[in-house]
Amino acid sequence: MAAVVRLALLQARRDRAILAAWILGIAGLGYAAATAVTTQFGADNERAALVAVAAASPAFLFLRGLPDGISSGAVTFFQGYSFTAVLAGLMSTFLVVRHTRADEDQGRFELVGSTPVTRVTPLYATLVLGTCANVVLALAVAAGFIGAGLPVAGSFLAGAAVGAVGLFFMVAAALAAQVMPSARSANGAAAALVGGAYLIRGAGDALGTADASLLKVTAAWPSLFSPIGWGQRIRPFTDSDALPLVVIGTGALVLAGAALMLRTSRDLGASYIAADESGSERAGTGLASMLGLAWRLQRGTVAGWCFTAALLGAVAGGLGPVVRDALAGNQSLMELMNRLVPGDAGMVDLFTTAMLGMAGIMAAAAGIQAVLRLRAEEAEGRAELLLAVPASRVRWLGGTIAVAAISTTAVAAAAGVSAAVVLALAQAGGSSPGTVLAAALAHVPAALVFPALALLVFALAPRWSGAVGWGALAVALVLGQFGELLGLPVWLQDLSPFRHSSAMPVEAFQPEGAVLMAAVAVVAAAAAARLVRGRDLTV
């Protein structure tokens, strides 16, 4: 036990800045959302109008969650819970993979294993650290809500809901770290679990049933398969119920037991899904260029992102008509929707637009991950070997830039094609398949800004490229999801590249924003290509 505590303290020291940023960021977002609700929607009729509009919009329900009354606490929880739960999940998964599979890949586990500790001791230490981080996160979220004037008991339950989701994905990541062959694949699998839980929760909420007053919505059965959906069922500020915490905790204990069992029977460096490291003795023609090498290294990741985006598109295409038909049976909702979005096709288009906006975010994430491969190659010494041959750094950079652009475009196109095909097969009405595909591709220029920014930081300060790349995407998400709610100035909201994307098919394509974002991405990439020639390689 003493070894577990010492290792956990060592891991906490390594992560003190990262965890502080995550926890303060999530808690600060909760505090800002609660303050905005209590100040901008201070009257009951204002909150009732907000909740009624949300209850009538499946897209709103998918993105935010379930309305649960008009108290300030209930509206705050409805507006912010799903987003903060996703952030808690990502914080926990990255923490666990960083201290398990990544340390194993880089040889640190071998050093720890040479001391008198068991092979599961580092995993125990990581789970202890992750548990403490989520407990602190839960308390910080509760403190933020209390500081904004929300009820104390409900605030602690709301914080517990966020922390419980983080704990669940912490052990899910521990399991992924045992099964997957590398830290990159483990991070991808764990993050995909978080994203999948959000989508399943969103599907259940979009298909939910609103009561006659349009102030409460009950989730449909799909949300039962999502830990984020279970956390939402706590309803901390109305009919609070702690049973979902027991369900999430039980699931976490089962996954933790499985992860520890797999770690006990696994050799150092081995995995339960083997990586395909076979290949020819000599490279083919396609590998004779930097572009070919970059594509060979990243084609599996690109395929994974495209598959996930296609699933999202299928959900968008499939849920649109289902939600429309479900709402058709609720006269109150139909009357409100007809005032907001006239016609059935408008309702389908509204839902499709919201979902394809998420595809744009996925496209940006795929591009960032492609660019950050450069940092991994440099830090692990492979770039030094590669650049020993007669090849310039600009060609090295150019190959990855091309793959990042291809990945970003392919992910958006996969979502658009999938949504268009499913909508056409369902004969749901709405816009034509070509317009739906164009709607997905309209987000590409804005999405390209993020990998270009990560590339620029890689050229200037490579150790910060990952933090700045992913941090910029997180800030853009916050500005997009909460900018208007928080009453942020327009110029600040306009810093998000996605603010300049056309929300097709609800609105017409605006070429000015697309040209501006494309120009920003090109200039940043060109500056990176120039700057990278003037610095040394770092590890």
Side-chain angles (χ1 to χ4, degrees):
M1 187 61 189
V4 172
V5 173
R6 282 197 295 271
L7 274 174
L9 290 174
L10 174 62
Q11 294 174 355
R13 187 179 186 283
R14 288 171 55 195
D15 272 9
R16 59 189 184 279
I18 297 175
L19 283 180
W22 272 107
I23 292 172
L24 291 176
I26 296 172
L29 180 62
Y31 171 76
T35 303
V37 168
T38 54
T39 56
Q40 297 187 32
F41 300 93
D44 286 351
N45 60 338
E46 293 173 335
R47 292 193 294 273
L50 173 67
V51 170
V53 170
S57 170
F60 214 127
L61 298 176
F62 191 101
L63 294 174
R64 292 299 177 85
L66 296 177
D68 187 35
I70 62 170
S71 70
S72 296
V75 174
T76 300
F77 190 72
F78 150 65
Q79 288 277 11
Y81 163 73
S82 297
F83 196 71
T84 52
V86 168
L87 291 177
L90 293 176
M91 178 193 79
S92 302
T93 57
F94 293 157
L95 180 152
V96 168
V97 175
R98 186 164 57 245
H99 290 295
T100 53
R101 197 75 210 191
D103 276 356
E104 195 169 335
D105 291 351
Q106 297 176 13
R108 297 191 185 103
F109 264 20
E110 194 169 1
L111 293 175
V112 174
S114 65
T115 62
V117 297
T118 66
R119 65 173 58 185
V120 296
T121 299
L123 181 56
Y124 272 123
T126 302
L127 295 180
V128 169
L129 174 62
T131 302
C132 292
N134 280 289
V135 170
V136 173
L137 173 64
L139 294 174
V141 170
F145 285 170
I146 294 170
L150 301 185
V152 174
S155 297
F156 277 111
L157 271 178
V162 175
V165 172
L167 279 175
F168 182 90
F169 286 111
M170 174 191 74
V171 293
L175 189 60
Q178 311 310 313
V179 174
M180 305 305 289
S182 68
R184 283 173 58 84
S185 57
N187 262 328
L193 288 175
V194 177
Y198 178 81
L199 293 179
I200 293 172
R201 189 278 317 156
D205 291 353
L207 295 172
T209 304
D211 66 2
S213 65
L214 299 183
L215 299 180
K216 287 189 177 182
V217 178
T218 303
W221 60 267
S223 72
L224 292 173
F225 295 94
S226 166
I228 300 176
W230 275 102
Q232 192 172 234
R233 291 169 182 265
I234 293 174
R235 299 179 184 271
F237 295 100
T238 52
D239 303 324
S240 57
D241 181 8
L243 179 61
L245 289 176
V246 178
V247 174
I248 297 173
T250 303
L253 286 175
V254 171
L255 292 179
L260 290 168
M261 183 181 67
L262 293 179
R263 181 65 192 96
T264 302
S265 57
R266 182 175 66 83
D267 287 336
L268 191 68
S271 65
Y272 290 91
I273 296 178
D276 183 11
E277 298 179 347
S278 60
S280 305
E281 292 183 358
R282 292 182 177 276
T285 306
L287 278 177
S289 66
M290 288 293 182
L291 174 60
L293 176 61
W295 174 252
R296 175 66 178 82
L297 290 174
Q298 305 213 43
R299 63 185 181 182
T301 305
V302 175
W305 277 108
C306 289
F307 177 75
T308 307
L311 283 180
L312 176 66
V315 170
L319 275 184
V322 174
V323 169
R324 179 202 58 194
D325 295 341
L327 292 182
N330 190 320
Q331 189 59 35
S332 300
L333 279 179
M334 285 303 300
E335 291 176 357
L336 184 55
M337 280 303 299
N338 288 333
R339 291 199 296 271
L340 296 172
V341 185
D344 289 346
M347 191 184 305
V348 173
D349 282 347
L350 186 66
F351 190 78
T352 304
T353 300
M355 297 296 291
L356 293 183
M358 295 181 64
I361 295 168
M362 291 182 63
I368 293 172
Q369 188 177 28
V371 165
L372 293 182
R373 181 67 188 233
L374 287 170
R375 177 56 189 156
E377 295 294 306
E378 182 179 12
E380 294 169 11
R382 292 187 291 273
E384 188 176 3
L385 296 175
L386 183 64
L387 293 175
V389 304
S392 68
R393 293 187 184 187
V394 174
R395 287 177 57 195
W396 175 52
L397 213 66
T400 299
I401 292 173
V403 171
I406 292 170
S407 178
T408 301
T409 307
V411 168
V417 169
S418 176
V421 169
V422 174
L423 282 170
L425 291 176
Q427 298 182 343
S431 300
S432 66
T435 303
V436 173
L437 176 59
L441 294 176
H443 295 287
V444 171
L448 285 173
V449 172
F450 295 94
L453 176 63
L455 192 69
L456 182 60
V457 178
F458 169 74
L460 288 169
R463 289 190 178 89
W464 289 93
S465 55
V468 173
W470 293 118
L473 184 59
V475 169
L477 281 173
V478 171
L479 291 175
Q481 293 290 321
F482 297 96
E484 294 185 2
L485 174 66
L486 300 178
L488 298 177
V490 174
W491 66 266
L492 185 58
Q493 296 184 49
D494 285 344
L495 291 180
S496 169
F498 291 116
R499 286 271 295 182
H500 304 278
S501 293
S502 302
M504 297 175 67
V506 171
E507 66 179 35
F509 178 66
Q510 303 293 331
E512 298 85 1
V515 171
L516 176 63
M517 291 300 102
V520 170
V522 170
V523 169
R530 183 175 179 79
L531 290 169
V532 79
R533 292 184 299 179
R535 72 165 176 86
D536 292 332
L537 294 178
T538 60
V539 295

